[in-house]
């Protein structure tokens, strides 16, 4: 850690991990309700549990992105953060807003569009905090060196904030509402968040592989180009059945099928750079998370996304457990693992230690990733049965669900494993640091400073 | 292939290409906006009651259990076509009564069956909600869902 103000990232990461634990806990409760439908039906109905689960996810991912930005920006710009105080204030507002939303949900106070349930005043607070962050980061970049990584990262974050503004537009026409709702949801996760993901990966790869910046940044531009060329018109795969024109079927099918390309390129990028790089970075768990992130994102977002993205397939699978399966592995692979990679890389340096608790950290990787994969498989099987019974044969929804109980039980089991993995991760990162270095020459470990 | 590409060329392709695709996207959504308002949804039928019904739908966050036009949670039945499923096209009064009665009956308390909470909704708001569901069932959805089960 070369710059003192990189420390700003530390409380961001702690807050992100705390909310992450909350997210998986609500996920566990939701999974339990699927298996025991009467569980907590009176005190905490399913819709409250679900909005808590999804909102915590979004809030902690964003806090993680903020922290990652504050961590890497001084190194990239070769200057201190413009205002650490502003960063702490911005974090406090964001965490307060997220917590206020969570508490208000438990009292039935919420708005009613999926993922955008925050009451308006909370949305405003989130916006203010986001703008404070952008101001702080942009001012830092302005006074320092501009690299492709920092420019693409900030571009992704600025665009995310701009598209977020559509959260304030809620027309009475349901079809219009849905079309612009995707401006936030799709253009975030399959659009501009891809810029954030690719630039953070590029940063990690420069640091951990030692490959020339020139080469890494070229790959970065190619990847983010593929992300937006496919992802912008790929929005069309949400415009098949909501009252939008028929031309979205060919356009959405074609471009969203291409969304696999940037995800696959990221896998090649990460593995090729590690193969090509000369550095033997001692933080093996961060290497594992980084490589795992690209692979899981490729399967979760790429393969599972492609599986039901063509309009002829989506006609039958739209809005079934297949969507749930894809949503879980895509978010986990692309954005959860990305944040966990950055934290696994940065926390030893923020705590001023050599990489620690490596074995424990790798256990958490395999438990969480294995659990999420199993969850995705069970939901996919459930979704196939549901699609056949309900969409082909025409059996009623509730009758169909009875056939899926076995899979919901296995999904709950997978959720327990994920929760254990998440707890282990947080313990490995924040708990007492024990030296766990891989066997190898001593000089390898000494090179841990970068 | 990537070896022969310079970083600056990659950057220019990224910025130029993204602007190009963004412009097409904006153009197509502008057209889709026009299409939705004038073609695929019932402009005259979007009464104050339907708009109020959408608010009622949102106030109770129905979408975090149900889907509507396939979007939402997957915990409870699709409601985009619930009006048709309840026979609203043949017998509007019967469907309205049945839907209202069903909502008023919740929770069923049946062991092993997913529970819909009891919502405190006035009679007027409940009618508005059903107006909204009826309006929604008439959206031109390109023939989705494939079966009446939703």
């Amino acid at each position: 850690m070369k710059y003192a103000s990189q420390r700003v990232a530390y409380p961001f990461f702690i807050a992100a991990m705390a909310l992450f634990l909350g997210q998986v806990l609500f996920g566990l409760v939701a999974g339990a309700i699927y298996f025991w439908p009467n569980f907590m039906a009176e005190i905490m109905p399913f819709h409250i549990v679900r909005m808590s689960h999804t909102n915590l996810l979004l809030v902690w991912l964003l806090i993680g992105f903020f922290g990652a930005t504050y961590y890497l920006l001084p190194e990239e710009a070769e200057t201190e953060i413009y205002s650490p105080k502003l960063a702490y204030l911005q974090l406090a507002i964001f965490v307060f807003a997220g917590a206020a939303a969570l508490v208000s949900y438990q009292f039935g106070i919420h708005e009613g569009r999926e993922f955008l349930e925050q009451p308006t005043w909370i949305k405003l607070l989130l916006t203010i905090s986001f703008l404070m962050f952008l101001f702080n980061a942009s001012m830092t970049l302005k006074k320092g060196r501009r690299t492709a990584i920092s420019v693409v990262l900030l571009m992704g974050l600025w665009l995310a904030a701009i598209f977020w503004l559509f959260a304030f537009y809620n027309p009475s026409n349901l079809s219009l509402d849905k079309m612009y709702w995707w401006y936030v949801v799709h253009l975030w996760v399959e659009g501009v968040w891809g810029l954030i993901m690719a630039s953070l990966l590029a940063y990690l790869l420069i640091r951990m592989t030692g490959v020339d910046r020139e080469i890494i940044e070229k790959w970065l531009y190619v990847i983010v180009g593929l992300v937006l060329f496919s992802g912008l018109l790929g929005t069309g795969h949400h415009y098949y059945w909501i009252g939008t024109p028929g031309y979205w079927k060919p356009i959405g099918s074609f471009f969203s099928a291409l969304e696999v390309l940037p995800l696959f390129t990221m896998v090649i990028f990460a593995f090729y750079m590690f193969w090509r790089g000369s550095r033997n970075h001692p933080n093996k768990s961060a290497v594992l998370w980084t490589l795992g992130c690209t692979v899981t994102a490729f399967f979760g977002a790429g393969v599972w996304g492609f599986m039901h993205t063509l309009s002829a397939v989506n006609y039958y699978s739209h809005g079934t457990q297949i969507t749930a399966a894809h949503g879980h592995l895509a978010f986990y692979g692309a954005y959860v693992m990305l944040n966990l990679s950055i934290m696994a890389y940065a926390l030893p340096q923020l705590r001023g230690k050599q990489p620690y608790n490596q074995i424990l950290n790798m256990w958490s990787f395999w438990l969480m990733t294995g659990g999420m994969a199993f969850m995705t498989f069970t939901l996919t099987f459930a979704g196939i049965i549901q699609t056949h019974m309900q969409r082909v044969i025409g059996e009623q929804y509730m009758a169909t669900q009875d056939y899926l109980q076995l899979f919901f039980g296995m999904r709950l089991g997978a959720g327990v494993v994920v929760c254990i993995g998440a707890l282990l991760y947080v313990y490995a990162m924040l708990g007492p640091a024990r030296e766990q270095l891989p066997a190898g020459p001593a000089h390898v470990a000494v090179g841990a400073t970068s | 292939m990537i070896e022969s590409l310079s970083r600056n060329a990659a950057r220019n392709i990224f910025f130029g290409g993204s602007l190009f695709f963004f412009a097409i996207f904006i153009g197509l959504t502008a057209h889709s906006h026009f299409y939705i308002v004038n073609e695929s949804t019932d402009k005259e039928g979007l009464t104050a009651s339907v708009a109020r019904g959408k608010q009622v739908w949102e106030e109770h966050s129905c979408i975090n259990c149900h889907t509507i036009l396939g979007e939402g949670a997957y915990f409870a039945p699709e409601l985009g076509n619930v009006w048709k499923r309840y026979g609203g096209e043949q017998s509007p009064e019967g469907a309205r009564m049945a839907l209202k009665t069903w909502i008023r009956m919740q929770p069923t308390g049946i062991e092993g069956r997913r529970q819909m909470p009891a919502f405190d909704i006035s009679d007027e708001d409940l009618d508005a909600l059903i107006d909204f569901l009826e309006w929604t069932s008439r959206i031109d959805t390109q023939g989705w869902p494939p079966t009446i089960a939703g």
Side-chain angles (χ1 to χ4, degrees):
Chain A
M1 206 175 80
K2 277 165 76 177
Y3 296 88
S5 58
Q6 285 181 280
R7 269 197 73 76
V8 165
Y10 199 12
F12 280 82
F13 291 154
I14 293 173
M17 278 187 264
L19 297 175
F20 173 43
L21 289 183
Q23 184 224 330
V24 292
L25 197 65
F26 276 104
L28 194 62
V29 173
I33 296 174
Y34 259 101
F35 193 63
W36 298 293
N38 308 80
F39 179 62
M40 304 221 307
E42 302 284 325
I43 31 172
M44 204 193 281
F46 183 83
H47 65 293
I48 300 294
V49 178
R50 183 177 187 267
M51 71 174 85
S52 306
H53 176 61
T54 56
N55 278 233
L56 278 167
L57 169 71
L58 293 171
V59 169
W60 90 256
L61 289 180
L62 284 168
I63 291 175
F65 291 155
F66 296 157
T69 307
Y70 286 129
Y71 183 80
L72 69 82
L73 208 49
E75 284 181 17
E76 287 293 305
E78 297 182 332
T79 179
E80 298 287 352
I81 295 290
Y82 174 73
S83 167
K85 260 189 204 146
L86 191 64
Y88 292 128
L89 179 64
Q90 177 245 321
L91 172 65
I93 295 174
F94 211 84
V95 170
F96 170 77
L102 187 65
V103 172
S104 69
Y105 296 164
Q106 314 312 316
F107 294 95
I109 302 163
H110 50 69
E111 291 187 2
R113 290 193 299 160
E114 197 183 4
F115 313 136
L116 306 179
E117 295 90 350
Q118 314 81 28
T120 306
W121 67 274
I122 292 179
K123 281 199 184 82
L124 285 171
L125 277 184
L126 293 171
T127 312
I128 290 167
S129 172
F130 207 141
L131 290 175
M132 287 164 74
F133 161 79
L134 288 170
F135 172 75
N136 208 359
S138 303
M139 290 305 281
T140 310
L141 191 61
K142 201 176 148 218
K143 70 187 170 99
R145 179 180 70 147
R146 249 167 262 181
T147 63
I149 289 177
S150 53
V151 168
V152 171
L153 175 61
L154 278 194
M155 192 179 148
L157 289 158
W158 267 104
L159 289 171
I162 289 167
F163 287 120
W164 160 254
L165 298 179
F166 283 91
F168 293 94
Y169 175 59
N170 183 10
S172 297
N173 184 316
L174 182 72
S175 293
L176 281 186
D177 167 4
K178 283 176 174 292
M179 188 173 79
Y180 291 109
W181 180 81
W182 285 112
Y183 265 54
V184 185
V185 178
H186 175 97
L187 290 184
W188 269 26
V189 300
E190 292 172 64
V192 297
W193 280 27
L195 272 55
I196 300 170
M197 178 181 179
S199 53
L200 293 181
L201 277 177
Y203 167 78
L204 286 171
L205 292 176
I206 283 190
R207 293 293 147 188
M208 290 197 288
T209 68
V211 171
D212 278 355
R213 179 176 286 276
E214 180 82 17
I215 294 166
I216 299 239
E217 293 191 337
K218 182 168 75 179
W219 276 80
L220 171 61
Y221 280 125
V222 170
I223 290 168
V224 291
L226 290 173
V227 167
L228 290 189
F229 300 171
S230 62
L232 286 170
L233 289 175
T235 315
H237 68 173
H238 303 292
Y239 292 168
Y240 297 154
W241 328 115
I242 61 169
T244 26
Y247 55 67
W248 285 111
K249 285 195 237 173
I251 294 174
S253 297
F254 179 76
F255 283 94
S256 66
L258 294 181
E259 285 181 35
V260 180
L261 282 181
L263 292 157
F264 187 64
T265 313
M266 279 194 252
V267 179
I268 305 295
F269 178 42
F271 279 84
Y272 181 50
M273 291 304 132
F274 273 106
W275 176 76
R276 183 171 173 152
S278 53
R279 195 172 291 170
N280 186 0
H281 201 275
N283 194 337
K284 297 300 174 201
S285 59
V287 174
L288 179 63
W289 278 109
T290 306
L291 291 171
C293 169
T294 62
V295 173
T296 315
F298 168 65
F299 280 101
V303 176
W304 254 256
F306 176 72
M307 196 158 71
H308 60 147
T309 200
L310 301 177
S311 64
V313 176
N314 193 261
Y315 180 65
Y316 294 99
S317 66
H318 179 52
T320 61
Q321 293 296 331
I322 290 186
T323 320
H326 159 62
H328 278 85
L329 200 64
F331 256 105
Y332 174 72
Y335 300 120
V336 171
M337 291 181 85
L338 176 68
N339 266 302
L340 300 184
S341 304
I342 292 269
M343 291 185 219
Y345 170 77
L347 270 166
Q349 294 168 57
L350 287 168
R351 291 178 68 180
K353 294 179 194 306
Q354 293 289 320
Y356 53 85
N357 300 348
Q358 294 273 288
I359 307 292
L360 203 59
N361 198 322
M362 293 190 200
W363 268 99
S364 81
F365 172 93
W366 289 110
L367 283 173
M368 256 190 276
T369 308
M372 288 308 297
F374 193 80
M375 184 183 297
T376 304
F377 300 147
T378 57
L379 290 179
T380 305
F381 299 143
I384 292 168
I385 293 175
Q386 185 188 1
T387 301
H388 185 74
M389 300 289 299
Q390 189 183 324
R391 296 284 167 71
V392 179
I393 296 178
E395 180 78 75
Q396 289 299 316
Y397 174 92
M398 289 304 281
T400 302
Q401 295 296 307
D402 289 340
Y403 294 101
L404 312 180
Q405 247 347 61
L406 170 69
F407 299 107
F408 291 140
M410 292 198 283
R411 188 267 290 274
L412 179 58
V416 172
V417 175
V418 172
C419 283
I420 294 170
L423 278 169
L424 262 188
Y425 178 88
V426 173
Y427 180 77
M429 289 279 88
L430 299 178
R434 291 191 188 83
E435 208 179 354
Q436 287 174 0
L437 291 175
H443 71 268
V444 171
V446 177
T449 46
S450 61
Chain B
M1 185 184 81
I2 198 160
E3 255 66 39
S4 60
L5 184 75
S6 77
R7 181 177 56 176
N8 285 351
R11 186 190 60 202
N12 294 341
I13 292 170
F14 163 61
F15 281 111
S18 299
L19 277 176
F20 173 74
F21 284 109
F22 189 63
I24 296 179
F25 177 69
I26 295 294
L28 288 178
T29 43
H31 173 266
S32 297
H33 185 121
F34 184 80
Y35 174 88
I36 287 169
V37 173
N38 295 299
E39 306 254 343
S40 64
T41 63
D42 179 4
K43 198 178 189 175
E44 283 76 38
L46 214 174
T47 59
S49 180
V50 171
R52 173 63 196 145
K54 183 166 180 279
Q55 285 175 350
V56 175
W57 165 265
E58 289 168 4
E59 278 162 17
H60 300 90
S61 192
C62 307
I63 201 154
N64 267 300
C65 289
H66 294 276
T67 50
I68 190 160
L69 306 187
E71 293 167 2
Y74 320 105
F75 187 70
E78 161 70 23
L79 296 185
N81 68 341
V82 71
W83 178 254
K84 291 181 183 168
R85 198 157 61 239
Y86 272 63
E89 284 177 325
Q90 294 79 37
S91 157
E93 278 318 301
R96 183 172 295 268
M97 275 306 291
L99 280 165
K100 285 168 79 167
T101 310
W102 176 253
I103 293 169
R104 292 259 187 255
M105 268 169 61
Q106 307 303 320
T108 60
I110 298 170
E111 196 59 36
R113 191 182 199 281
R114 294 180 194 169
Q115 298 296 305
M116 175 165 154
F119 290 113
D120 185 20
I121 305 176
S122 72
D123 214 49
E124 201 185 346
D125 278 354
L126 207 49
D127 274 318
L129 178 65
I130 289 159
D131 288 343
F132 165 68
L133 292 173
E134 181 192 352
W135 181 88
T136 301
S137 77
R138 282 185 275 116
I139 296 175
D140 176 6
T141 57
Q142 310 280 334
W144 193 90
T147 68
I148 194 70

